[in-house]
Amino acid sequence: MTCRLRNATLLILLALPLTAGDTPWLTYGNTLSGWRYTPLTQITSTNIAHLAPAWIFQTNTAAKSESTPLVRDGIMYVTGDSNNAWALDLKTGKQLWHYFRKPPKPLDLCCGEVNRGFAISGDRLFKVNIEDTLLALDRLTGKVLWETELGDYRKGYSGTAAPIVIKNLVITGTAGAEFGIRGFIDAYDIATGKRVWRFHTIPAADEPGGATWAPSTEHRVGGSTWITGTYDPELNTLYWGTGNPGPDMNGDVRPGDNLYTCSLVALDADTGKLKWHYQYTPHDVHDWDAISDPVLVDVTIAGQLRKAVVQANRNGHYYGLDRVTGKLLFAKPYTEVSWARGIGADGRPILVPDQEPSEEGTKSCPGLGGGHNWQATAYSPRTGLHYFSSTDGCQLFYRTEQQFVEGHWFQLSTVDGIPGDSNRHSVVAVDTATGQTKWRRELQAHPSGGMLATASDLVFYGDSAGNLVALDARTGEPVWHFQTGASINAPPIAYEFEGKQYIAVAAGGVIVTFASR
Amino acid sequence: MRRLLLVLCFAQLLSAQSADVDVGKGNFRLYCAPCHGIHAQGGRGPDLTQTTADLAHVISEGVPGTEMGAYSSQFDDAMIARIVSYIRSTARGASGPVAGDPEHGRALFVGTANCAGCHAAGGVGPSLARVGRQRSPAYLREKLLHPSTEITPGYETLIVTLKDGSNVRGIRRGLDDFSAQLIGLDRRFYSFRRNEVASIEKDSHSLMPDQKLTEPEITDLLAYLSTLRGDAK
């Protein structure tokens, strides 16, 4: 681990109170409701032509960053791949400190040594390391204040999610369902790093939900929790999506619904006790994790104001649930779906037969990555629309037989493309009160980086070709773009510093921040 | 008693080997199948059911000059051994030399079939200098007969229609929602902004023309291609 203080003078200056005209970005989704919405309005469709880079920070790492930077008190805090993190001067982009710890080897992972960002509380920052530890860092020096193990990386556990802070707790999940882990959501005391509660996403056989795994199931595994949840302070309820059961594509070895995989769980934030759950994909065999942002919105349905939680699920349906009770409000497909004829009034999918993976390969839609995967989504209260990326297409799903070996891949097969049937990409805007798609912007490049909505009715996203793009939030028409030079896999953020609005995004291994010139 | 123990040990050994093959198969499908096919029978990468190569070394160190990378930093020896166990379990025996007259195939390549026009050094098509090492004869036959079924990555076709109604067709070098770059069959580089042109479309047809070769000519051409292994002359 290295932790470098580059400039003591800079540190002192940055510690000084800042003037009015600063609007921070304080958590993964900006609000605990997961909106990724900024109230800032300086950048509009009429002046956006003047938007240009203000500074660029080179991390000098070969990264495909998925990180959401945080901004507060004149400093940007951003994590990188492979256990890197930086604090940057908002005025100049210069480095304040750098944290690094070399990941252990060998380290077999499904999806790279990625990290999705910090949480912040007072003078403490919180992040996970890829070997599945949780750390508290001092925000002005980058020094480690405490560190605790979440899961054993030698058994397949890994850490990629941005934590969140609720009251005196820092809460996070784990990755590793492809390696036969038992998923969980954990809460730790922000001062001491002591664990306060743990919710296992896979119940034991004698616990509620345990009977949804047939007694013949030898290994009750999966249910990782690798994307940050959301929180309703009035209900004191935490909402967190869970991943696939293990093995991914051979369901014969785990008959039953396999709770609480591919579900949304609502937990008491103080105790971690389950309030309710909703399983989007019972007995999943297509790796359709339910980890997409659970966004908290209040909507009017049939003249009644409902507290809802909405999610663009990987299985191709857009869901609205009552976030008090967990009851289904609506579910509508937003992309091509072959596995279900719809979602019944009882909340269960109406299955199409013969969609299970096979030795010869079974065509199913959407593909393994789903209609919408993990990429951050955005919601605008001005439009009532939820914006997210969609990949439309099908794949062949294969299955195999294999004994479980602790810490090894336990996916039990894979997918392949269908010749002549290439995927199509789009940005979708869905009405959160009905689940109806209001507009769809079809794209050549994958909108791989997630969304940001602004109060000036713009939606920003980054794409796989390296463009940071702004769309009109009401029509989906592009109004601006900038070529950053690297595939963008991270969501953009907005902040105000010294009275001026900025847009920032991690593109590959650089951080670019934009302002009007 | 000793015989029983031997039988039990042998059964245990077979069971362990079978488990290795199963785990190897799972890993093969994740890491290898995208190029070598879901059943190891070849695709963009060679058919592995007929190989006699030192596969552990190949997986560990890769093959310079090909798309086959080195996996030694990602896989430990045990995992490589399991993958090799699975590949060996698919073995159909080493393939013999490709039938046909390679000399006549070469004459076709540079002559009437006009393959060299695009595939020789400096051509706009994929280099075939090592294709005998990189691709199986079955894959090459399929590509020769049906060039559009799977277009080599990096050589997809793009059609740009200009505002005057004329169009440019070529090899896609870049495409996003704001611009397109391509190399035309005239070996010129073109770059267009979306607002400069009438339309930009992907074309699912390969730029490689359908061949009008007889079956013996195809066999001879494949025999020649199988000799292109990038060996020093």
Side-chain angles (χ1 to χ4, degrees), chain A residues 138-202:
Chain A
D138 182 278
R139 76 174 184 91
L140 290 176
T141 65
K143 287 181 179 167
V144 176
L145 302 172
W146 53 255
E147 180 172 13
T148 188
E149 182 183 279
L150 299 170
D152 185 344
Y153 73 88
R154 288 159 293 226
K155 295 180 179 176
Y157 291 85
S158 55
T160 60
I164 54 171
V165 173
I166 310 291
K167 299 183 235 183
N168 66 326
L169 300 177
V170 54
I171 301 173
T172 195
T174 189
E178 275 63 52
F179 296 84
I181 63 147
R182 184 186 183 197
F184 55 77
I185 301 161
D186 271 3
Y188 295 84
D189 186 297
I190 58 174
T192 63
K194 295 274 188 281
R195 193 199 296 169
V196 175
W197 56 255
R198 165 169 287 190
F199 174 78
H200 277 292
T201 59
I202 310 291

Side-chain angles (χ1 to χ4, degrees), chain A residues 108-109 359 398-403 405 408-409 411 413-414 416 419 442-445 461 463 465 467 469 478 480-481 483, chain B residues 19 22-27 29-31 33-34 37-39 73-76 79 82 149 175-178 194 200-202:
Chain A
D108 205 3
L109 302 162
E359 179 65 27
Y398 294 89
R399 53 166 273 175
T400 48
E401 313 284 336
Q402 181 191 311
Q403 290 298 309
V405 181
H408 285 239
W409 276 95
Q411 185 160 308
S413 215
T414 191
D416 204 359
E442 295 195 350
L443 302 170
Q444 295 291 345
Y461 73 89
D463 72 24
N467 297 295
V469 184
W480 175 87
H481 70 276
Q483 173 55 243
Chain B
D22 286 344
V23 174
K25 184 178 183 179
N27 289 320
R29 288 195 165 184
L30 289 167
Y31 293 106
I38 203 84
H39 301 297
S73 63
Q74 198 171 348
F75 301 163
D76 60 20
M79 182 164 166
R82 290 188 192 98
T149 51
L175 175 66
D176 64 20
D177 294 283
F178 307 101
R194 287 243 166 210
I200 300 172
E201 293 173 45
K202 293 178 186 171

Side-chain angles (χ1 to χ4, degrees), chain A residues 289-311:
Chain A
D289 296 32
I291 44 64
S292 172
D293 298 339
V295 178
L296 310 187
V297 293
D298 293 346
V299 293
T300 301
I301 299 176
Q304 200 178 0
L305 190 66
R306 306 292 293 265
K307 290 177 179 291
V309 50
V310 292
Q311 189 192 62

Side-chain angles (χ1 to χ4, degrees), chain A residues 375 389-391 425 443-449 461-465 488, chain B residues 177:
Chain A
Q375 288 82 6
S389 59
S390 178
T391 297
H425 305 295
L443 302 170
Q444 295 291 345
H446 181 215
S448 48
Y461 73 89
D463 72 24
S464 55
I488 299 176
Chain B
D177 294 283

Side-chain angles (χ1 to χ4, degrees), chain A residues 90-419:
Chain A
L90 274 193
K91 190 171 286 187
T92 63
K94 289 184 177 172
Q95 179 179 302
L96 173 59
W97 52 255
H98 173 211
Y99 165 85
F100 172 65
R101 175 188 288 158
K102 191 175 180 182
K105 300 289 178 190
L107 187 62
D108 205 3
L109 302 162
C110 82
C111 313
E113 295 179 356
V114 298
N115 187 281
R116 300 192 184 86
F118 278 118
I120 189 168
S121 177
D123 281 339
R124 293 181 174 214
L125 295 163
F126 306 94
K127 77 178 288 288
V128 296
N129 272 352
I130 192 66
E131 60 269 34
D132 217 18
T133 62
L134 175 67
L135 303 90
L137 307 180
D138 182 278
R139 76 174 184 91
L140 290 176
T141 65
K143 287 181 179 167
V144 176
L145 302 172
W146 53 255
E147 180 172 13
T148 188
E149 182 183 279
L150 299 170
D152 185 344
Y153 73 88
R154 288 159 293 226
K155 295 180 179 176
Y157 291 85
S158 55
T160 60
I164 54 171
V165 173
I166 310 291
K167 299 183 235 183
N168 66 326
L169 300 177
V170 54
I171 301 173
T172 195
T174 189
E178 275 63 52
F179 296 84
I181 63 147
R182 184 186 183 197
F184 55 77
I185 301 161
D186 271 3
Y188 295 84
D189 186 297
I190 58 174
T192 63
K194 295 274 188 281
R195 193 199 296 169
V196 175
W197 56 255
R198 165 169 287 190
F199 174 78
H200 277 292
T201 59
I202 310 291
D206 59 352
E207 291 176 337
T212 63
W213 299 73
S216 61
T217 307
E218 200 172 341
H219 304 284
R220 295 162 179 254
V221 294
S224 49
T225 46
W226 49 285
I227 292 292
T228 310
T230 51
Y231 174 68
D232 183 330
E234 279 183 28
L235 300 171
N236 193 35
T237 302
L238 186 66
Y239 302 88
W240 211 289
T242 68
N244 60 277
D248 303 45
M249 286 166 217
N250 186 341
D252 291 353
V253 300
R254 48 175 173 81
D257 281 354
N258 308 139
L259 288 177
Y260 299 101
T261 62
C262 297
S263 300
L264 187 69
V265 293
L267 308 179
D268 182 294
D270 295 332
T271 64
K273 299 287 185 213
L274 182 69
K275 291 187 171 185
W276 55 258
H277 76 276
Y278 177 84
Q279 189 173 39
Y280 299 97
T281 316
H283 190 71
D284 169 58
V285 286
H286 296 98
D287 196 7
W288 289 330
D289 296 32
I291 44 64
S292 172
D293 298 339
V295 178
L296 310 187
V297 293
D298 293 346
V299 293
T300 301
I301 299 176
Q304 200 178 0
L305 190 66
R306 306 292 293 265
K307 290 177 179 291
V309 50
V310 292
Q311 189 192 62
N313 194 274
R314 201 156 142 174
N315 71 19
H317 294 84
Y318 186 86
Y319 294 80
L321 307 177
D322 183 313
R323 72 173 183 270
V324 180
T325 64
K327 299 296 180 206
L328 180 71
L329 298 173
F330 56 78
K332 300 217 168 93
Y334 61 86
T335 186
E336 184 178 358
V337 169
S338 70
W339 67 283
R341 290 197 300 276
I343 309 300
D346 62 354
R348 292 184 69 87
I350 304 161
L351 296 177
V352 172
D354 302 325
Q355 284 285 293
E356 293 80 17
S358 60
E359 179 65 27
E360 308 75 32
T362 303
K363 179 181 174 180
S364 288
C365 328
L368 179 137
H372 172 75
N373 198 338
W374 68 272
Q375 288 82 6
T377 68
Y379 165 73
S380 168
R382 287 173 51 82
T383 63
L385 298 177
H386 190 189
Y387 306 94
F388 56 89
S389 59
S390 178
T391 297
D392 312 297
C394 313
Q395 281 183 310
L396 294 171
F397 286 76
Y398 294 89
R399 53 166 273 175
T400 48
E401 313 284 336
Q402 181 191 311
Q403 290 298 309
F404 175 72
V405 181
E406 191 173 67
H408 285 239
W409 276 95
F410 194 49
Q411 185 160 308
L412 297 205
S413 215
T414 191
V415 289
D416 204 359
I418 299 169

Side-chain angles (χ1 to χ4, degrees), chain B residues 49-118:
Chain B
T49 65
Q50 302 183 54
T51 184
T52 57
D54 179 356
L55 290 174
H57 180 78
V58 168
I59 295 169
S60 179
E61 305 301 326
V63 180
T66 74
E67 295 173 54
M68 179 66 199
Y71 287 84
S72 57
S73 63
Q74 198 171 348
F75 301 163
D76 60 20
D77 291 345
M79 182 164 166
I80 291 173
R82 290 188 192 98
I83 293 173
V84 173
S85 293
Y86 166 67
I87 295 172
R88 295 300 184 210
S89 78
T90 68
R92 296 186 294 179
S95 58
V98 177
D101 178 355
E103 277 306 312
H104 184 231
R106 182 180 180 284
L108 288 166
F109 187 86
V110 299
T112 53
N114 196 25
C115 310
C118 290

